[in-house]
Amino acid sequence: MPGFLLWVPASLAVLLAALLQGITGFGFALIAVPLLLLVFDAHTAVILNLLVSFCTQLALSYRVRKEIIHSLLMNLFKGSLLGIPIGLYVFTHFNVKDLKILISILTIIFALVIFKLKSIKKITQEENPWAERLIGSLSGFLSTSTGIAGPPVVLFLNYRDLRKDKFRATASAYFTLLYGASLALLILFRNVNTHIVLSAISLLPPAFLGSYLGIYLFPRVSQKHFYYSVPLIVIATGLYSLLTTIL
C-alpha cells in the first residue's frame, strides 16, 4: 500500500477520474493515468488504473444495467476479442510509437469532424452487427497495441446518436468487459503483484465516492451538452496520447 503522502494525491486522482466516468461511462484513464504517473512508476500507474477502473465500471454497469443495449454490447466485445491478441502481437514485435502517433492524430481529426458536423446524416444510426464488431476489433487492437482503447467505441456510440443514459450504460459495460479481458492477460503474464492489488484496494473508497458524485450529476447534464462533451473528451485523450508519445 502507498504511504499517506502518496495515497492523498492518488486518491484525488481516482476520485476525479471516477467522477468523469460516472457521468459519461468512460474517460477514467484520461484523468487517472497522468496524475498517477506523478506518484507511481508507469507500470504501477497503468495497472492501478485498470484495477480501480474495472471495479468502478463494474459497479456503474450493474447500477445502469437496464439501459444497456445488449446486442450492441456483445457485438463490440466479440470484436474486441479478435483485436486484443493482434494488438498484443504488434506491441511485442513492432515499434508502436509511430502507430500511436498516427492513431492519436486520426482520433483528433475524427472527433473534430463529429463535433463540427452535428447535422451530418448518421449513417451508423441503424444497427449493423458487422460495423459494431469491426469497431470492437479496432478498440481491442488499440487497447493492447497503443493503450488507446476508448476513442473508436465512444465516437461510434456518439455517432449513433444514442440517448445519454443508453450511451453511458453501454459504454460502461463494454469497458468493464474489455478491462476484465486485459487484466486476465496481465495476470496470466504475471504483471500484477500483491503490492499493486493492495494499493488498488486502498484507492477504491475515493474512487467509489467519485463515481457516486458522477452518477448524482448525470441527470443534471443535458443531452445536448452530453453529445458535445464526448468528442471534446476524445480530443483531449488524443492530444494527451500524442504529447506523451512525442515528448
Side-chain angles (χ1 to χ4, degrees):
M1 290 178 59
F4 182 74
L5 293 179
L6 295 181
W7 183 84
V8 171
S11 295
L12 179 61
V14 298
L15 187 150
L16 293 174
L19 189 152
L20 175 62
Q21 185 187 77
I23 296 174
T24 65
F26 71 100
F28 189 96
L30 175 63
I31 294 178
V33 173
L35 295 179
L36 289 175
L37 284 172
L38 299 176
V39 181
F40 302 100
D41 63 86
H43 175 267
T44 301
V46 170
I47 304 298
L48 278 176
N49 166 69
L50 278 174
L51 285 168
V52 178
S53 181
F54 172 75
C55 293
T56 54
Q57 287 281 32
L58 182 62
L60 175 61
S61 298
Y62 180 78
R63 185 184 184 101
V64 299
R65 62 192 183 280
K66 293 182 180 179
E67 300 297 336
I68 295 172
I69 304 175
H70 291 279
S71 60
L72 173 57
L73 169 63
M74 294 315 300
N75 283 329
L76 289 171
F77 183 60
K78 288 176 182 177
S80 74
L81 293 179
L82 175 62
I84 287 173
I86 298 175
L88 184 60
Y89 178 83
V90 170
F91 179 75
T92 54
H93 291 84
F94 297 93
N95 180 1
V96 298
K97 182 178 180 180
D98 292 339
L99 174 63
K100 193 170 185 179
I101 292 174
L102 176 62
I103 293 298
S104 299
I105 293 173
L106 290 176
T107 294
I108 294 169
I109 293 173
F110 191 28
L112 282 171
V113 169
I114 290 181
F115 181 72
K116 291 292 184 180
L117 303 180
K118 185 178 185 296
S119 61
I120 193 171
K121 181 182 178 182
K122 295 175 174 55
I123 58 174
T124 54
Q125 190 170 10
E126 299 299 327
E127 290 188 9
N128 187 329
W130 288 106
E132 293 162 2
R133 290 168 188 166
L134 179 62
I135 294 296
S137 296
L138 180 59
S139 174
F141 170 79
L142 293 177
S143 70
T144 47
S145 62
T146 68
I148 315 172
V153 169
V154 298
L155 287 175
F156 180 76
L157 296 180
N158 197 55
Y159 202 50
R160 283 277 299 269
D161 203 25
L162 300 178
R163 294 202 328 265
K164 64 174 185 172
D165 51 350
K166 292 190 177 297
F167 180 111
R168 180 181 65 163
T170 305
S172 179
Y174 169 73
F175 289 117
T176 299
L177 295 175
L178 182 67
Y179 293 160
S182 300
L183 283 171
L185 275 179
L186 289 169
I187 293 171
L188 180 63
F189 288 101
R190 300 181 180 180
N191 286 311
V192 181
N193 57 48
T194 304
H195 173 72
I196 295 178
V197 172
L198 291 176
S199 297
I201 292 173
S202 73
L203 293 173
L204 287 180
F208 282 123
L209 174 60
S211 182
Y212 176 80
L213 291 174
I215 292 170
Y216 173 78
L217 292 173
F218 177 75
R220 292 157 177 79
V221 178
S222 70
Q223 180 70 31
K224 178 181 178 181
H225 290 151
F226 186 90
Y227 181 89
Y228 281 117
S229 70
V230 170
L232 288 176
I233 295 171
V234 173
I235 290 170
T237 303
L239 285 172
Y240 168 73
S241 176
L242 182 62
L243 292 175
T244 54
T245 303
I246 295 175
L247 300 180

